[in-house]
Amino acid sequence: MPRLSHTFDLAPVDHGVVVRSVAAAHAVARACGFDGRGWLITPDEATVGRWEERADRLGLVDRAVARSNRERRRAAAERLREGVEDPAEAEELAVEASTTALQLQSGHHLEPRSHYLVSELSPGGVPVEPVYERQGWTSTGLTVTSWDPEGTSALEFAMPDRVGGGAPPVTSGTAAHDAAAGTLAMTVEVRLPGRGAWLRSARGSLTIDTAAWYAALAGRTGPAPVRLTAAHALADIEADLSPAPREDGRWDVTATLRARGRGPLARPLVALAFWAVRGSYRREQRRAREGAEGVTVTSPREQLDRGARAWDRMARGAEEIPDLLHDVARGMAEAARRGA
């Protein structure tokens, strides 16, 4: 079975911080309120900006990117107000000017079988229905199947939303968090429309076991704490993350990817693909070392190291994340009271 692996040197995060952050995230969800049409009530821009500034300082978001996105939305909205004759351009601008919103469509907030819609809203507050909706990449439906912050909280999702019937969703799946066990499990199934359904379908799963993660750091052996699988008509893919402690207190986290072709024809094709990826990786590293003067080439290893540095930035401020989330919960609750 072809195999790729890479080991990251990462800053540690205390297990208690993870547990408190999850509990605070539940508090944020509970604090959400919805208006008479079911749309989520959000605080004013000043409050959101304060949260964004703290999140940027803690390495959770990039405030410069968020600011740039807002400026693009405003520019697109202004162009739409001025009038655009080309339908294709108008469609692109409508998507660019939209904002993501959450609507409670049925049931009571966080109760089993309550149903939500994640949609894109125009500057005027009207749901946007872009052309690519026909391919199913919009209007995600969320249905709560259980909600217990001390036990299991789970939901189902479908994209596009098909709670009212119609064609099967293009993408669907489940997500479940078991607070007692410290696990998060997700499944997803993709069925792209068009000919050759067997080639356009795939399924996958992701399991994150935080208890097993910290047990591994304490020296206990067992299955990899983070496991990902994907299945397609041509290949099966497995990936996992496993941590080990370093003498300096940091973590060595090894990421491993394996693939196996299905059938006598697919197996050599998958092996060839992995060989090509390895060759490309080495060529990019060589280009980065031998780059011409004035030409910047970022090697794959540098890109991985950049991701590790982003993790370290977040890990340094991890102790403050639960407090930020509780602040968000208080702000959401206050906005809900004002909007009631």
Side-chain angles (χ1 to χ4, degrees):
M1 178 183 290
R3 178 179 180 275
L4 294 172
S5 65
H6 181 79
T7 299
F8 297 88
D9 171 13
L10 301 180
V13 175
D14 184 73
H15 192 189
V17 170
V18 176
V19 173
R20 293 195 298 275
S21 296
V22 171
H26 278 95
V28 172
R30 287 195 302 271
C32 291
F34 300 83
D35 64 18
R37 297 186 303 160
W39 294 109
L40 177 67
I41 301 171
T42 57
D44 55 62
E45 288 190 13
T47 301
V48 174
R50 177 169 56 82
W51 294 339
E52 188 179 273
E53 183 178 1
R54 287 187 67 185
D56 178 77
R57 181 168 53 83
L58 297 179
L60 298 175
V61 301
D62 188 324
R63 199 178 188 198
V65 172
R67 186 182 300 113
S68 175
N69 290 338
R70 285 194 297 270
E71 291 172 354
R72 284 201 301 271
R73 282 197 297 271
R74 292 191 184 104
E78 182 61 30
R79 285 280 291 113
L80 286 172
R81 282 192 293 269
E82 293 172 353
V84 179
E85 294 183 1
D86 183 3
E89 182 183 1
E91 173 68 26
E92 291 179 4
L93 289 171
V95 174
E96 186 71 28
S98 65
T99 56
T100 303
L102 178 69
Q103 184 182 39
L104 174 59
Q105 292 196 314
S106 63
H108 297 284
H109 182 45
L110 296 181
E111 289 188 0
R113 308 319 303 173
S114 55
H115 185 75
Y116 304 78
L117 179 71
V118 180
S119 185
E120 300 297 317
L121 294 183
S122 72
V126 178
V128 176
E129 296 183 359
V131 170
Y132 56 75
E133 184 179 25
R134 287 194 294 271
Q135 283 76 48
W137 304 110
T138 187
S139 66
T140 303
L142 304 174
T143 302
V144 174
T145 54
S146 65
W147 182 264
D148 182 358
E150 296 181 357
T152 299
S153 299
L155 59 82
E156 300 170 344
F157 62 89
M159 182 169 55
D161 184 34
R162 285 292 182 263
V163 70
V170 170
T171 303
S172 61
T174 63
H177 175 254
D178 186 334
T183 59
L184 173 66
M186 298 182 65
T187 66
V188 63
E189 188 164 355
V190 179
R191 294 192 185 96
L192 297 177
R195 295 181 178 178
W198 68 285
L199 285 175
R200 292 172 171 266
S201 302
R203 64 182 184 277
S205 67
L206 171 67
T207 302
I208 301 174
D209 187 336
T210 56
W213 182 277
Y214 287 95
L217 290 168
R220 292 192 286 274
T221 59
V226 180
R227 302 182 300 278
L228 181 147
T229 66
H232 184 265
L234 296 180
D236 291 320
I237 295 175
E238 300 175 358
D240 56 59
L241 292 176
S242 296
R246 292 165 51 100
E247 291 184 359
D248 59 5
R250 292 174 65 84
W251 295 344
D252 275 340
V253 178
T254 301
T256 305
L257 176 67
R258 298 172 295 275
R260 182 191 301 276
R262 287 188 169 187
L265 294 179
R267 290 193 184 100
L269 289 175
V270 170
L272 180 62
F274 263 63
W275 175 83
V277 169
R278 287 196 186 98
S280 176
Y281 182 91
R282 292 172 180 142
R283 284 194 299 273
E284 289 297 324
Q285 285 189 300
R286 187 168 58 251
R287 288 180 61 206
R289 290 193 300 266
E290 302 172 356
E293 185 177 352
V295 178
T296 302
V297 179
T298 303
S299 72
R301 183 171 294 278
E302 288 172 330
Q303 295 173 19
L304 292 171
D305 290 344
R306 185 180 300 167
R309 288 193 297 270
W311 167 272
D312 281 4
R313 180 168 173 251
M314 183 278 297
R316 284 194 296 271
E319 290 281 352
E320 298 182 45
I321 292 175
D323 182 60
L324 169 60
L325 291 173
H326 283 299
D327 189 19
V328 172
R330 288 189 292 269
M332 294 298 293
E334 178 60 30
R337 285 192 293 270
R338 289 198 304 268

